[in-house]
Amino acid sequence: MAAARPTLDDLFAELRARGLRATTARRAVLAELLVAGDTHLTADELARRIHADHPAVHLSTVYRTLDALAEAGLIAVARFADQPVTYHLAGDVHHHAVCTACGATINLPAEVLAPVQRRLARDHGFVADPRHLTITGTCAACVDGAARPSPSER
Amino acid sequence: MAAARPTLDDLFAELRARGLRATTARRAVLAELLVAGDTHLTADELARRIHADHPAVHLSTVYRTLDALAEAGLIAVARFADQPVTYHLAGDVHHHAVCTACGATINLPAEVLAPVQRRLARDHGFVADPRHLTITGTCAACVDGAARPSPSER
DNA sequence: CTTGATGCAAATGGTTTGCATGTTT
DNA sequence: AAACATGCAAACCATTTGCATCAAG
């Protein structure tokens, strides 16, 4: 079920298969997303990293590329609270539990949602294709540790 | 568990109990949210409605009020895709299934998430307090109706 | 050579903020 | 009076867009 992590060339081929043109900017974006693994990157972070090798690639191009890749289903989009949108390669679909106290996030395998999907199907005939959920709550550490400074506060 | 729908005075009392001041703007915001029921309103929509009776209440005040009310736990925040943030009274916690084909949204009772919450607790000691989730997918109509024009397309 | 992609700069739009003033307590 | 809330206008910042140029097919 979980596709093995693809190579850059796989991704690039996939991209061309969808009728998108093979450009340096796009290769760079895919390369960075590949390096990032399951980390989530914003358009800006992505652009910054790309600038190291390709100073000419413009932020707006990164946005356009991300749009294209998302539309093509190559990447997934995740939005956390009021932070800027983040992206990561599709195929590694997962969800998040975010601690509202300390900001910690736990990655959850896609299948945690299975029961919900079943229920939606049964009750509403709704075929769920959950791409990215964020479940808020309190992590174990904060539950018993109670008050504690927040590492990734706004 | 599900609190009966409160009156405006209940809410207002609650607000003061939290140490917030009782102002016209805040009363107006709460009043509109109460009228809205389980509909989700953006700050702008809210401001527009409030302007009917209180033309002086400024949009920025609405934002500040919403922040305050959210912080106080009186209202809940929902964010849909790339649309502006929406608000509704807390207490009516629910989730959404949104059809990516036709845009239809189904409100789901909070308890559909119970299995997920249990699992998070068991596997990660994470106490979930899911406030608002949006699950994407395809609604029954679009599943069998297949291709069909989208009423609320971008 | 045709169409899609890019760079750049400028516009957008939701949301936030600084500050002086008005209100609540 | 003191602390807080508001109105207003200006600032912010992520994202989008128009357009002329460039590169991929």
Side-chain angles (χ1 to χ4, degrees):
Chain A
M1 170 163 280
R5 190 128 335 195
T7 78
L8 177 53
D9 287 333
D10 288 345
L11 292 169
F12 217 51
E14 181 67 12
L15 176 156
R16 308 182 65 160
R18 310 271 175 148
L20 297 177
R21 288 189 177 174
T23 71
T24 328
R26 284 167 180 182
R27 178 174 277 266
V29 169
L30 285 173
E32 288 301 340
L33 287 173
L34 202 47
V35 169
D38 51 5
T39 304
H40 299 57
L41 297 176
T42 66
D44 195 68
E45 288 164 346
L46 225 19
R48 231 188 288 290
R49 296 180 184 204
I50 290 171
H51 272 66
D53 285 324
H54 310 275
V57 173
H58 198 274
L59 175 59
S60 69
T61 300
V62 172
Y63 273 109
R64 283 191 274 227
T65 298
L66 290 169
D67 276 359
L69 295 179
E71 183 132 354
L74 284 173
I75 64 177
V77 180
R79 125 176 263 124
F80 285 77
D82 42 4
Q83 261 120 262
V85 173
T86 62
Y87 305 83
H88 66 80
L89 289 180
D92 177 31
V93 173
H94 58 271
H95 307 293
H96 297 272
V98 177
C99 177
T100 48
C102 73
T105 81
I106 301 174
N107 278 16
L108 308 170
E111 43 112 9
V112 295
L113 270 215
V116 177
Q117 289 177 266
R118 254 180 265 118
R119 165 134 183 196
L120 279 171
R122 174 159 49 77
D123 293 359
H124 304 280
F126 186 95
V127 180
D129 175 27
R131 297 214 154 280
H132 232 109
L133 298 190
T134 299
I135 299 175
T136 54
T138 315
C139 73
C142 291
V143 164
D144 42 54
R148 96 177 37 213
S150 33
S152 69
E153 197 72 76
R154 68 144 42 193
Chain B
M1 170 165 281
R5 190 132 331 200
T7 78
L8 177 53
D9 287 332
D10 289 344
L11 291 170
F12 216 53
E14 181 66 13
L15 175 155
R16 308 184 65 163
R18 309 272 175 147
L20 298 177
R21 288 191 175 174
T23 71
T24 329
R26 286 168 179 181
R27 178 174 275 267
V29 168
L30 285 173
E32 287 302 338
L33 287 173
L34 201 48
V35 169
D38 50 7
T39 304
H40 299 56
L41 297 176
T42 66
D44 194 69
E45 288 164 346
L46 224 21
R48 231 190 287 290
R49 297 181 183 203
I50 290 171
H51 272 65
D53 285 326
H54 309 275
V57 174
H58 198 273
L59 175 58
S60 69
T61 300
V62 173
Y63 275 108
R64 284 192 271 227
T65 298
L66 290 169
D67 276 359
L69 295 179
E71 183 131 355
L74 283 174
I75 65 177
V77 180
R79 101 173 14 264
F80 286 77
D82 41 5
Q83 262 119 260
V85 173
T86 62
Y87 306 82
H88 65 81
L89 289 180
D92 177 30
V93 173
H94 59 270
H95 308 293
H96 297 272
V98 177
C99 177
T100 49
C102 73
T105 81
I106 302 173
N107 278 17
L108 308 170
E111 44 112 9
V112 295
L113 271 217
V116 177
Q117 289 177 265
R118 254 179 266 119
R119 168 136 180 193
L120 279 171
R122 174 159 50 75
D123 294 359
H124 304 279
F126 186 95
V127 180
D129 175 28
R131 297 215 152 282
H132 231 111
L133 298 190
T134 299
I135 299 175
T136 54
T138 315
C139 74
C142 291
V143 165
D144 42 55
R148 95 173 40 210
S150 36
S152 69
E153 197 72 77
R154 70 142 42 192

